[in-house]
Coordinates of all heavy atoms in Angstrom, one line a residue:
V1 N -20.8 34.4 -13.6 CA -20.2 33.7 -12.4 C -21.3 33.7 -11.3 O -21.4 32.7 -10.7 CB -18.9 34.4 -12.0 CG1 -18.4 33.8 -10.7 CG2 -17.8 34.3 -13.0
E2 N -21.9 34.8 -11.1 CA -22.9 34.9 -10.1 C -24.1 33.9 -10.3 O -24.5 33.3 -9.4 CB -23.5 36.3 -10.0 CG -24.5 36.5 -8.8 CD -25.0 38.0 -8.7 OE1 -24.2 38.9 -9.1 OE2 -26.1 38.1 -8.2
T3 N -24.5 33.8 -11.5 CA -25.6 32.8 -11.9 C -25.1 31.4 -11.5 O -25.9 30.6 -11.0 CB -25.9 32.9 -13.3 OG1 -26.4 34.3 -13.6 CG2 -27.0 32.0 -13.7
A4 N -23.9 31.1 -11.9 CA -23.3 29.7 -11.6 C -23.3 29.5 -10.1 O -23.6 28.4 -9.6 CB -22.0 29.6 -12.2
Q5 N -22.8 30.5 -9.3 CA -22.8 30.4 -7.9 C -24.1 30.2 -7.3 O -24.3 29.4 -6.3 CB -22.1 31.6 -7.3 CG -20.6 31.7 -7.6 CD -19.9 33.0 -7.2 OE1 -20.6 34.0 -7.1 NE2 -18.6 32.9 -7.0
N6 N -25.1 30.9 -7.8 CA -26.5 30.8 -7.3 C -27.0 29.4 -7.6 O -27.7 28.8 -6.8 CB -27.4 31.8 -7.9 CG -27.2 33.2 -7.3 OD1 -26.7 33.3 -6.2 ND2 -27.5 34.2 -8.1
G7 N -26.6 28.8 -8.8 CA -27.0 27.5 -9.1 C -26.5 26.4 -8.1 O -27.1 25.5 -7.8
V8 N -25.2 26.6 -7.8 CA -24.6 25.7 -6.8 C -25.3 25.8 -5.5 O -25.6 24.8 -4.8 CB -23.1 26.0 -6.6 CG1 -22.5 25.3 -5.5 CG2 -22.3 25.7 -7.9
I9 N -25.6 27.0 -5.0 CA -26.3 27.2 -3.8 C -27.7 26.5 -3.8 O -28.1 25.8 -2.9 CB -26.5 28.7 -3.4 CG1 -25.1 29.3 -3.1 CG2 -27.5 28.9 -2.3 CD1 -25.1 30.8 -3.0
Q10 N -28.4 26.7 -4.9 CA -29.7 26.0 -5.1 C -29.6 24.5 -5.1 O -30.5 23.8 -4.5 CB -30.4 26.5 -6.4 CG -30.7 28.0 -6.4 CD -31.9 28.3 -5.4 OE1 -32.7 27.5 -5.2 NE2 -31.8 29.5 -4.9
L11 N -28.6 24.0 -5.8 CA -28.4 22.5 -5.8 C -28.1 22.0 -4.5 O -28.7 20.9 -4.1 CB -27.3 22.2 -6.8 CG -27.1 20.7 -7.0 CD1 -28.4 20.0 -7.5 CD2 -26.0 20.5 -8.0
K12 N -27.2 22.6 -3.7 CA -26.9 22.2 -2.3 C -28.2 22.2 -1.5 O -28.4 21.3 -0.7 CB -25.9 23.1 -1.7 CG -24.5 22.8 -2.3 CD -23.4 23.7 -1.6 CE -22.0 23.4 -2.2 NZ -21.0 24.2 -1.5
Q13 N -29.0 23.2 -1.6 CA -30.2 23.3 -0.8 C -31.2 22.2 -1.2 O -31.9 21.6 -0.4 CB -30.9 24.7 -1.0 CG -32.1 24.9 -0.1 CD -31.8 24.8 1.3 OE1 -30.9 25.5 1.8 NE2 -32.4 24.0 2.1
L14 N -31.3 21.9 -2.5 CA -32.2 20.8 -3.0 C -31.7 19.5 -2.4 O -32.5 18.7 -1.9 CB -32.2 20.7 -4.5 CG -33.0 19.6 -5.2 CD1 -34.5 19.8 -4.8 CD2 -32.8 19.6 -6.7
L15 N -30.4 19.2 -2.4 CA -29.9 18.0 -1.9 C -30.3 17.9 -0.4 O -30.7 16.8 0.1 CB -28.4 17.9 -2.0 CG -27.9 17.7 -3.4 CD1 -26.3 17.8 -3.5 CD2 -28.3 16.3 -4.0
E16 N -30.1 19.0 0.3 CA -30.4 19.0 1.8 C -31.9 18.8 2.0 O -32.3 18.0 2.8 CB -30.0 20.3 2.4 CG -30.2 20.4 3.9 CD -29.7 21.7 4.5 OE1 -28.7 22.2 4.0 OE2 -30.4 22.1 5.4
D17 N -32.7 19.5 1.2 CA -34.2 19.3 1.3 C -34.7 17.9 1.1 O -35.6 17.4 1.7 CB -34.9 20.3 0.4 CG -34.7 21.8 0.8 OD1 -34.3 22.0 1.9 OD2 -35.1 22.6 -0.1
C18 N -34.0 17.2 0.2 CA -34.4 15.9 -0.2 C -33.7 14.8 0.7 O -34.0 13.6 0.5 CB -34.0 15.6 -1.7 SG -35.0 16.6 -2.8
G19 N -32.8 15.2 1.5 CA -32.1 14.3 2.4 C -31.1 13.5 1.7 O -30.8 12.3 2.1
L20 N -30.5 14.0 0.6 CA -29.6 13.2 -0.2 C -28.2 13.6 0.2 O -27.9 14.7 0.6 CB -29.8 13.6 -1.7 CG -31.1 13.1 -2.3 CD1 -31.3 13.7 -3.7 CD2 -31.2 11.6 -2.3
P21 N -27.2 12.7 0.0 CA -25.8 13.0 0.4 C -25.3 14.0 -0.6 O -25.6 14.1 -1.8 CB -25.1 11.7 0.2 CG -26.0 10.8 -0.7 CD -27.4 11.3 -0.5
A22 N -24.4 14.9 0.0 CA -23.8 16.0 -0.8 C -22.3 15.8 -1.0 O -21.7 16.6 -1.7 CB -24.1 17.3 -0.2
S23 N -21.8 14.8 -0.3 CA -20.3 14.6 -0.4 C -20.0 13.1 -0.2 O -20.9 12.4 0.2 CB -19.6 15.4 0.7 OG -19.8 14.8 1.9
L24 N -18.8 12.8 -0.6 CA -18.4 11.4 -0.3 C -18.3 11.1 1.2 O -18.5 10.0 1.6 CB -17.0 11.1 -1.0 CG -17.1 11.1 -2.5 CD1 -15.7 10.9 -3.1 CD2 -18.0 10.0 -3.0
D25 N -18.0 12.1 2.0 CA -18.1 12.0 3.4 C -19.4 11.5 3.9 O -19.5 10.6 4.7 CB -17.8 13.3 4.2 CG -16.4 13.8 4.0 OD1 -15.5 13.0 4.0 OD2 -16.2 15.0 3.8
D26 N -20.5 12.0 3.3 CA -21.8 11.7 3.7 C -22.1 10.2 3.3 O -23.1 9.6 3.9 CB -22.8 12.5 2.9 CG -22.8 14.0 3.4 OD1 -22.2 14.3 4.4 OD2 -23.3 14.9 2.6
L27 N -21.3 9.6 2.4 CA -21.5 8.2 2.0 C -20.5 7.3 2.7 O -20.4 6.1 2.4 CB -21.4 8.1 0.5 CG -22.4 8.8 -0.3 CD1 -22.0 8.8 -1.8 CD2 -23.8 8.1 -0.1
N28 N -19.8 7.9 3.7 CA -18.8 7.1 4.5 C -17.7 6.6 3.6 O -17.1 5.5 3.8 CB -19.4 6.0 5.3 CG -20.4 6.5 6.3 OD1 -20.1 7.5 7.0 ND2 -21.5 5.9 6.4
V29 N -17.3 7.3 2.5 CA -16.2 7.0 1.7 C -15.0 7.7 2.2 O -15.0 8.9 2.6 CB -16.5 7.4 0.2 CG1 -15.2 7.2 -0.6 CG2 -17.7 6.7 -0.4
S30 N -13.9 7.0 2.3 CA -12.6 7.5 2.8 C -11.8 8.1 1.7 O -11.9 7.6 0.6 CB -11.9 6.4 3.5 OG -10.5 6.7 3.8
E31 N -11.0 9.0 2.0 CA -10.1 9.6 1.0 C -9.1 8.5 0.6 O -8.5 8.6 -0.5 CB -9.3 10.8 1.6 CG -10.2 12.0 1.6 CD -9.5 13.3 1.8 OE1 -8.5 13.6 1.0 OE2 -9.8 14.1 2.7
N32 N -8.9 7.5 1.4 CA -8.0 6.4 1.0 C -8.6 5.6 -0.1 O -7.9 4.8 -0.8 CB -7.7 5.5 2.2 CG -7.0 6.1 3.3 OD1 -6.1 7.0 3.1 ND2 -7.3 5.8 4.5
D33 N -9.9 5.7 -0.4 CA -10.6 5.0 -1.5 C -10.5 5.7 -2.8 O -10.9 5.1 -3.8 CB -12.0 4.8 -1.1 CG -12.2 4.0 0.2 OD1 -11.4 3.0 0.4 OD2 -13.1 4.2 0.9
V34 N -10.0 6.9 -2.8 CA -10.1 7.7 -4.0 C -9.3 7.1 -5.2 O -9.8 7.1 -6.3 CB -9.6 9.2 -3.7 CG1 -9.3 10.0 -5.0 CG2 -10.6 9.9 -2.8
T35 N -8.1 6.6 -5.0 CA -7.4 6.0 -6.1 C -8.1 4.8 -6.7 O -8.2 4.7 -8.0 CB -6.0 5.5 -5.6 OG1 -5.3 6.7 -5.1 CG2 -5.2 4.9 -6.8
E36 N -8.7 4.0 -5.9 CA -9.5 2.8 -6.4 C -10.7 3.3 -7.2 O -11.1 2.8 -8.2 CB -9.9 1.9 -5.3 CG -10.7 0.7 -5.7 CD -11.0 -0.2 -4.6 OE1 -10.6 0.0 -3.5 OE2 -11.8 -1.2 -4.9
L37 N -11.4 4.4 -6.6 CA -12.5 4.9 -7.3 C -12.1 5.5 -8.7 O -12.9 5.3 -9.7 CB -13.2 6.0 -6.5 CG -13.9 5.6 -5.2 CD1 -14.2 6.8 -4.4 CD2 -15.1 4.8 -5.5
A38 N -11.0 6.2 -8.7 CA -10.5 6.7 -10.0 C -10.2 5.6 -11.0 O -10.5 5.7 -12.2 CB -9.3 7.6 -9.8
N39 N -9.6 4.5 -10.5 CA -9.3 3.4 -11.4 C -10.6 2.8 -12.0 O -10.6 2.5 -13.2 CB -8.5 2.3 -10.7 CG -7.0 2.8 -10.4 OD1 -6.5 3.6 -11.2 ND2 -6.4 2.2 -9.4
D40 N -11.6 2.7 -11.1 CA -12.8 2.1 -11.6 C -13.5 3.1 -12.6 O -14.1 2.7 -13.6 CB -13.8 1.9 -10.4 CG -13.3 0.7 -9.5 OD1 -12.5 -0.1 -10.0 OD2 -13.8 0.6 -8.4
A41 N -13.4 4.4 -12.3 CA -14.0 5.4 -13.2 C -13.4 5.3 -14.6 O -14.1 5.5 -15.6 CB -13.9 6.8 -12.7
L42 N -12.1 5.0 -14.7 CA -11.4 5.0 -16.0 C -11.9 3.8 -16.8 O -11.7 3.8 -18.0 CB -9.9 4.9 -15.7 CG -9.2 6.2 -15.3 CD1 -7.8 5.9 -14.9 CD2 -9.2 7.2 -16.4
K43 N -12.5 2.8 -16.2 CA -13.0 1.6 -16.9 C -14.3 1.9 -17.6 O -14.8 1.1 -18.4 CB -13.2 0.5 -15.9 CG -11.9 0.0 -15.3 CD -12.1 -1.1 -14.3 CE -10.8 -1.5 -13.6 NZ -11.1 -2.4 -12.5
I44 N -15.0 3.0 -17.2 CA -16.3 3.3 -17.8 C -16.1 4.2 -19.0 O -16.2 5.4 -19.0 CB -17.2 4.0 -16.7 CG1 -17.3 3.1 -15.5 CG2 -18.6 4.2 -17.3 CD1 -18.0 3.7 -14.3
E45 N -15.7 3.6 -20.1 CA -15.3 4.3 -21.3 C -16.5 5.1 -21.9 O -16.2 6.2 -22.5 CB -14.7 3.4 -22.3 CG -13.4 2.8 -21.9 CD -12.8 1.9 -22.9 OE1 -13.2 2.0 -24.1 OE2 -12.0 1.1 -22.6
R46 N -17.7 4.6 -21.8 CA -18.8 5.4 -22.3 C -18.9 6.8 -21.8 O -19.1 7.8 -22.5 CB -20.1 4.6 -22.1 CG -21.4 5.3 -22.5 CD -22.6 4.5 -22.2 NE -22.7 4.1 -20.8 CZ -23.2 4.9 -19.8 NH1 -23.7 6.1 -20.1 NH2 -23.3 4.5 -18.6
L47 N -18.7 6.9 -20.5 CA -18.8 8.2 -19.8 C -17.6 9.1 -20.2 O -17.7 10.3 -20.4 CB -18.9 8.0 -18.3 CG -20.2 7.3 -17.8 CD1 -20.1 7.2 -16.3 CD2 -21.4 8.1 -18.2
L48 N -16.4 8.4 -20.2 CA -15.2 9.2 -20.6 C -15.3 9.7 -22.0 O -14.9 10.8 -22.3 CB -14.0 8.3 -20.4 CG -13.7 8.0 -18.9 CD1 -12.5 7.0 -18.9 CD2 -13.3 9.2 -18.1
N49 N -15.8 8.9 -22.9 CA -15.8 9.2 -24.3 C -16.9 10.3 -24.6 O -16.7 11.1 -25.5 CB -16.2 8.0 -25.2 CG -15.1 7.0 -25.2 OD1 -13.9 7.4 -25.0 ND2 -15.4 5.8 -25.5
N50 N -17.9 10.4 -23.8 CA -18.9 11.4 -23.9 C -18.7 12.7 -23.1 O -19.5 13.6 -23.2 CB -20.3 10.8 -23.6 CG -20.7 9.8 -24.6 OD1 -20.6 10.0 -25.8 ND2 -21.3 8.7 -24.2
N51 N -17.6 12.7 -22.3 CA -17.3 13.9 -21.5 C -16.8 15.0 -22.4 O -16.0 14.7 -23.3 CB -16.3 13.5 -20.5 CG -16.2 14.5 -19.4 OD1 -17.2 14.8 -18.7 ND2 -15.0 15.1 -19.1
P52 N -17.2 16.2 -22.3 CA -16.7 17.3 -23.2 C -15.3 17.6 -23.0 O -14.7 18.2 -23.9 CB -17.6 18.5 -22.8 CG -18.2 18.1 -21.4 CD -18.2 16.7 -21.3
R53 N -14.7 17.1 -21.9 CA -13.2 17.4 -21.7 C -12.5 16.1 -21.4 O -13.0 15.3 -20.6 CB -13.1 18.4 -20.5 CG -11.7 18.8 -20.3 CD -11.7 19.8 -19.1 NE -10.8 19.2 -18.1 CZ -10.6 19.6 -16.9 NH1 -11.4 20.6 -16.4 NH2 -9.8 19.1 -16.1
P54 N -11.4 15.8 -22.0 CA -10.7 14.6 -21.7 C -10.2 14.6 -20.3 O -9.8 15.6 -19.7 CB -9.4 14.7 -22.6 CG -9.7 15.7 -23.6 CD -10.7 16.6 -23.0
L55 N -10.4 13.4 -19.7 CA -10.0 13.2 -18.3 C -8.9 12.1 -18.1 O -9.1 11.1 -18.8 CB -11.2 12.9 -17.4 CG -12.3 13.9 -17.2 CD1 -13.5 13.3 -16.5 CD2 -11.8 15.1 -16.5
N56 N -7.9 12.4 -17.3 CA -7.0 11.3 -17.0 C -7.1 11.0 -15.5 O -8.0 11.6 -14.8 CB -5.6 11.7 -17.3 CG -5.1 13.0 -16.6 OD1 -5.5 13.2 -15.4 ND2 -4.4 13.8 -17.3
K57 N -6.4 10.0 -15.0 CA -6.5 9.6 -13.7 C -6.3 10.7 -12.7 O -7.1 10.8 -11.7 CB -5.5 8.5 -13.4 CG -5.6 7.8 -12.0 CD -4.7 6.7 -11.9 CE -4.8 6.0 -10.5 NZ -3.9 4.9 -10.4
S58 N -5.3 11.6 -12.9 CA -5.1 12.7 -12.0 C -6.3 13.7 -11.9 O -6.7 14.2 -10.9 CB -3.9 13.5 -12.4 OG -2.7 12.7 -12.4
D59 N -6.9 13.9 -13.1 CA -8.1 14.7 -13.1 C -9.3 14.1 -12.3 O -9.9 14.8 -11.5 CB -8.7 14.9 -14.6 CG -7.7 15.6 -15.5 OD1 -7.0 16.5 -15.0 OD2 -7.7 15.3 -16.7
I60 N -9.4 12.8 -12.4 CA -10.5 12.1 -11.7 C -10.3 12.1 -10.2 O -11.2 12.4 -9.4 CB -10.7 10.7 -12.3 CG1 -11.2 10.8 -13.8 CG2 -11.7 9.9 -11.4 CD1 -11.1 9.5 -14.5
I61 N -9.0 11.9 -9.8 CA -8.7 11.9 -8.4 C -9.0 13.3 -7.8 O -9.5 13.5 -6.8 CB -7.2 11.6 -8.2 CG1 -7.0 10.0 -8.4 CG2 -6.7 12.0 -6.8 CD1 -5.6 9.6 -8.4
A62 N -8.6 14.4 -8.6 CA -8.9 15.7 -8.1 C -10.4 16.0 -8.0 O -10.8 16.6 -7.0 CB -8.3 16.8 -9.1
I63 N -11.2 15.5 -8.9 CA -12.6 15.6 -8.8 C -13.1 15.0 -7.5 O -13.9 15.5 -6.8 CB -13.3 15.1 -10.0 CG1 -13.0 16.0 -11.3 CG2 -14.8 15.0 -9.8 CD1 -13.4 15.4 -12.6
Y64 N -12.7 13.7 -7.3 CA -13.2 13.0 -6.1 C -12.7 13.7 -4.8 O -13.5 13.9 -3.9 CB -12.6 11.6 -6.1 CG -13.4 10.6 -7.0 CD1 -12.8 9.8 -7.9 CD2 -14.8 10.5 -6.8 CE1 -13.5 8.9 -8.7 CE2 -15.5 9.6 -7.6 CZ -14.9 8.8 -8.5 OH -15.6 7.9 -9.3
K65 N -11.5 14.2 -4.8 CA -11.0 14.9 -3.6 C -11.8 16.2 -3.3 O -11.9 16.5 -2.2 CB -9.5 15.1 -3.7 CG -8.6 13.9 -3.5 CD -7.2 14.2 -3.5 CE -6.4 12.9 -3.2 NZ -5.0 13.1 -3.0
N66 N -12.2 16.8 -4.4 CA -13.0 18.0 -4.2 C -14.4 17.8 -3.6 O -15.1 18.7 -3.2 CB -13.1 18.8 -5.5 CG -11.9 19.6 -5.8 OD1 -11.2 20.1 -4.9 ND2 -11.5 19.7 -7.0
T67 N -14.8 16.5 -3.5 CA -16.2 16.2 -3.0 C -16.2 15.9 -1.5 O -17.3 15.7 -1.0 CB -16.8 15.0 -3.8 OG1 -16.0 13.8 -3.5 CG2 -16.8 15.2 -5.3
F68 N -15.0 16.0 -0.9 CA -15.0 15.8 0.6 C -15.3 17.1 1.2 O -14.9 18.2 0.7 CB -13.7 15.2 1.0 CG -13.5 13.8 0.6 CD1 -12.8 13.4 -0.5 CD2 -14.0 12.8 1.4 CE1 -12.7 12.1 -0.9 CE2 -13.8 11.4 1.1 CZ -13.2 11.1 -0.1
N69 N -15.9 17.1 2.4 CA -16.2 18.3 3.2 C -14.9 18.9 3.7 O -14.0 18.5 4.0 CB -17.1 18.0 4.3 CG -18.5 17.7 3.8 OD1 -19.0 18.2 2.8 ND2 -19.2 16.8 4.5

C-alpha cells in the first residue's frame, strides 16, 4: 500500500512539474457533464473490452466524480 501511495504522490508531482491538468476541474469540466461523459465512454468498446474489470455506467460515473478536486 505504501508503494502505491508513493506512486500516486510521484505522479501528482510529475503532472504539476509538467504543467499538466490533474483533475477535471483543471480542464473546466463541470460535474453536470459527468453523465454525458460516461455515456460517451460506454461507446468506446475497445477500451471497455480491454479493461481488466468490467465497467458499467455507474462505475464510470464514480471514476469521473473522483477526479474532481
Side-chain angles (χ1 to χ4, degrees):
V1 172
E2 184 177 333
T3 301
Q5 290 171 336
N6 287 334
V8 170
I9 291 167
Q10 294 291 328
L11 182 57
K12 285 181 178 182
Q13 187 61 53
L14 178 62
L15 291 171
E16 184 178 325
D17 292 348
C18 293
L20 296 172
S23 71
L24 290 177
D25 293 320
D26 295 342
L27 295 169
N28 297 316
V29 174
S30 165
E31 286 196 50
N32 295 328
D33 298 324
V34 167
T35 300
E36 183 178 351
L37 290 169
N39 287 333
D40 289 342
L42 286 169
K43 295 175 187 174
I44 307 172
E45 292 182 20
R46 176 182 53 84
L47 296 177
L48 292 172
N49 292 337
N50 290 317
N51 197 55
R53 187 178 121 191
L55 295 173
N56 59 37
K57 185 175 178 178
S58 298
D59 296 326
I60 295 169
I61 287 173
I63 291 168
Y64 280 129
K65 286 188 175 185
N66 281 326
T67 65
F68 288 94
N69 289 330

